[in-house]
Amino acid sequence: MRSTSAELHTLTGAYAVNALADTERTAFETHLDRCGSCAAEVAELTATASRLGTAVDSPPPPHLRARVLKAAAETRQLPPRTARVPRIRRLREAGGLLVAACLVAAVVVTAQGLGSTKDSDTLAQISREYSQFTDFLSTPDVKLVSAAGPDGATGTAVVSASRDELLFLSRDLPEPPADRVYQLWFLDAGDPRPAGLLPATGSAPMMASGVSGAQKVAVTVEPQGGSATPTNPPMMVISLV
Amino acid sequence: MPKRERSLQSIPRDDDRPAEPTANDLLALVARGDEAAFERLYDHVSGSVFGLIRRVVRDQAQSEEVFQEVMLEVWRTATRFDPGKGSANTWILTLTHRRAVDRVRSAQAATHREEHVARLDTTRPFDEVSEQVDGRLEQRQVRRCLGNLTDLQRESVLLAYYQGYSYPEVASLLGLPLGTVKTRMRDGLIRLRDCMGVTG
Ligand SMILES: [Zn+2]
């Protein structure tokens, strides 16, 4: 997370051959969402790298074919993503659709909106502390939400629907167990969507893209490198609606 | 193999049989739950997918496991493929590489890998590729284009791609600063891209 943006631009090659560590990869993917030239270069270099894969072609053992086809026939496919529209307001109307059966342990604090002076003060403070996010924090539609976790830990999310991004900050989060990391998730009506790994350095902020449609964000403890779906119950949940 | 089909598709055929669908066409059908299309896609890509996994993971049994996971993930997530962001072949091989590297980087493999790195003083990934080249057009092109890279560019790219090493690991193997390895990887891939005429 500490790389400057000039350094980030040179990571396209290492990213295309999958040579970045997980935290760096997450940071770079956030960068990719906003840097058109890096995104275009990554598309080309990834296509180039995949030619190296095609060059080492070797047929799998024949008996795997039937096994894979059978497994596919018995596996439900992910639903397609729907069009992304700024829709925090729409979500409010959609209200109680969310199923959150496994979230009982977490304390949920609902959004306050930015009406209160306290929220504006908090935003101003975050902005002073992390000047690199001033631009994001001054987006007109940002909204501040927070929740408490175990042992006095707190999580704060600043959401912008128009930018489809979220800034997450934690305070007093205990060190994750050895070989474990904290992972952030977007929760909506479908499967939890991975939103990135929390920086290893305690309370450092992280940006996540793709918040549109999410009704909550959650934090879980996951194996090093993160998981495709949560493997533990959330230790913190922040409601965005 | 996709190249040959693209040209076939544009040329009318005598026998009136419909042209072979490309991997992109098949993946679009798979996204709609078409099991027959998945079967054809399997025949299309399973060689590249397994070859790449085998190359990175090495162990046959583990490679077979990862292969099945990847093929099932292709089926499961076909709905998320966005043709605007690249070809189906690239999408599938990128997913494959990610999973193969995840496997070799997993905690279980960590100790093995340390021993492996220690033994790796004379790795020659380029030569290993050359051995496997059987004269197919695509492979000959890859080989020829790899020959245009400087040694450090080639080694940086191939150690990461075929051995699944992170760039700090590559830096330590080659005795180079981290920043140098990052730029060698990028420069090397750019040279390959230009040589192969890849447009993304
Ligand atoms: Zn950039």
Side-chain angles (χ1 to χ4, degrees):
Chain A
M1 285 301 262
R2 213 143 279 149
S3 317
T4 64
S5 144
E7 287 171 71
L8 280 173
H9 298 313
T10 65
L11 286 178
T12 48
Y15 180 80
V17 290
N18 209 2
L20 298 181
D22 300 303
T23 46
E24 212 168 5
R25 182 159 82 193
T26 309
F28 186 66
E29 282 173 348
T30 306
H31 172 74
L32 277 183
D33 286 334
R34 305 177 203 168
C35 178
S37 62
C38 279
E41 190 167 286
V42 159
E44 291 174 356
L45 299 188
T46 305
T48 303
S50 74
R51 300 284 190 93
L52 296 172
T54 314
V56 288
D57 191 296
S58 153
H63 71 275
L64 295 182
R65 191 173 185 276
R67 209 189 282 179
V68 166
L69 297 178
K70 179 164 183 289
E74 291 167 358
T75 302
R76 187 177 156 71
Q77 293 175 294
L78 283 185
R81 281 199 211 294
T82 47
R84 282 202 175 147
V85 280
R87 54 177 173 175
I88 293 254
R89 190 174 303 144
R90 248 185 55 195
L91 285 182
R92 251 193 215 129
E93 290 154 16
L97 280 175
L98 183 73
V99 187
C102 62
L103 307 183
V104 276
V107 184
V108 179
V109 175
T110 313
Q112 316 274 311
L114 267 186
S116 76
T117 12
K118 188 168 156 286
D119 286 352
S120 312
D121 290 351
T122 311
L123 271 187
Q125 191 198 328
I126 297 172
S127 187
R128 270 196 306 278
E129 225 170 305
Y130 304 106
S131 55
Q132 70 268 41
F133 299 118
T134 304
D135 174 46
F136 172 74
L137 294 168
S138 53
T139 313
D141 69 339
V142 288
K143 192 171 134 163
L144 181 79
V145 289
S146 55
D151 302 326
T154 56
T156 299
V158 184
V159 185
S160 163
S162 67
R163 290 180 52 150
D164 193 19
E165 284 180 318
L166 169 148
L167 174 68
F168 181 83
L169 295 138
S170 61
R171 289 265 186 267
D172 303 323
L173 214 52
E175 279 283 295
D179 293 330
R180 292 288 185 276
V181 291
Y182 288 119
Q183 188 167 5
L184 193 70
W185 303 89
F186 294 133
L187 306 183
D188 47 35
D191 295 331
R193 290 183 284 128
L197 304 181
L198 264 54
T201 45
S203 63
M206 72 171 276
M207 290 292 299
S209 300
V211 69
S212 285
Q215 308 203 347
K216 297 182 179 185
V217 288
V219 177
T220 63
V221 175
E222 298 297 332
Q224 217 40 266
S227 306
T229 51
T231 59
N232 281 302
M235 52 169 306
M236 186 186 288
V237 176
I238 307 180
S239 176
L240 304 177
V241 293
Chain B
M1 77 189 120
K3 236 132 281 115
R4 184 167 52 81
E5 281 151 15
R6 192 169 306 155
S7 55
L8 280 183
Q9 215 174 22
S10 54
I11 300 166
R13 293 158 54 132
D14 293 333
D15 55 11
D16 270 352
R17 270 193 298 140
E20 284 270 302
T22 63
N24 274 48
D25 300 334
L26 290 171
L27 194 54
L29 292 170
V30 170
R32 291 177 227 153
D34 185 332
E35 288 172 33
F38 183 62
E39 201 168 337
R40 297 182 71 180
L41 185 65
Y42 182 100
D43 296 334
H44 234 80
V45 301
S46 58
S48 309
V49 170
F50 188 73
L52 178 55
I53 294 170
R54 190 66 223 280
R55 181 68 205 205
V56 174
V57 173
R58 304 285 174 137
D59 179 78
Q60 174 75 19
Q62 287 197 51
S63 298
E64 292 181 14
E65 269 174 43
V66 176
F67 171 75
Q68 293 175 74
E69 285 165 20
V70 167
M71 290 310 299
L72 203 59
E73 195 170 348
V74 168
W75 163 261
R76 211 171 62 83
T77 62
T79 47
R80 302 293 169 90
F81 168 64
D82 176 357
K85 287 188 178 166
S87 75
N89 272 309
T90 297
W91 185 74
I92 291 169
L93 282 173
T94 303
L95 172 68
T96 302
H97 192 254
R98 185 72 69 91
R99 292 293 162 262
V101 168
D102 285 349
R103 175 60 66 109
V104 296
R105 285 194 196 155
S106 72
Q108 211 180 359
T111 45
H112 276 285
R113 276 162 55 72
E114 275 158 34
E115 296 160 18
H116 187 54
V117 170
R119 272 186 279 114
L120 246 167
D121 44 323
T122 55
T123 316
R124 288 201 193 83
F126 178 46
D127 293 352
E128 290 177 35
V129 177
S130 310
E131 282 164 23
Q132 295 189 359
V133 167
D134 65 3
R136 272 196 17 205
L137 181 66
E138 182 131 21
Q139 292 174 330
R140 268 187 286 142
Q141 187 197 35
V142 165
R143 186 183 175 190
R144 181 174 59 78
C145 289
L146 281 169
N148 289 341
L149 271 54
T150 68
D151 289 347
L152 286 181
Q153 288 172 347
R154 189 169 53 240
E155 282 175 310
S156 301
V157 168
L158 295 187
L159 283 169
Y161 197 76
Y162 288 142
Q163 315 281 349
Y165 292 137
S166 65
Y167 78 85
E169 288 172 329
V170 173
S172 122
L173 271 176
L174 299 180
L176 293 171
L178 291 177
T180 308
V181 168
K182 276 189 258 186
T183 50
R184 291 302 172 273
M185 283 178 179
R186 177 166 179 263
D187 296 346
L189 283 170
I190 286 174
R191 235 183 239 199
L192 277 180
R193 174 197 69 190
D194 295 344
C195 175
M196 295 175 183
V198 175
T199 53

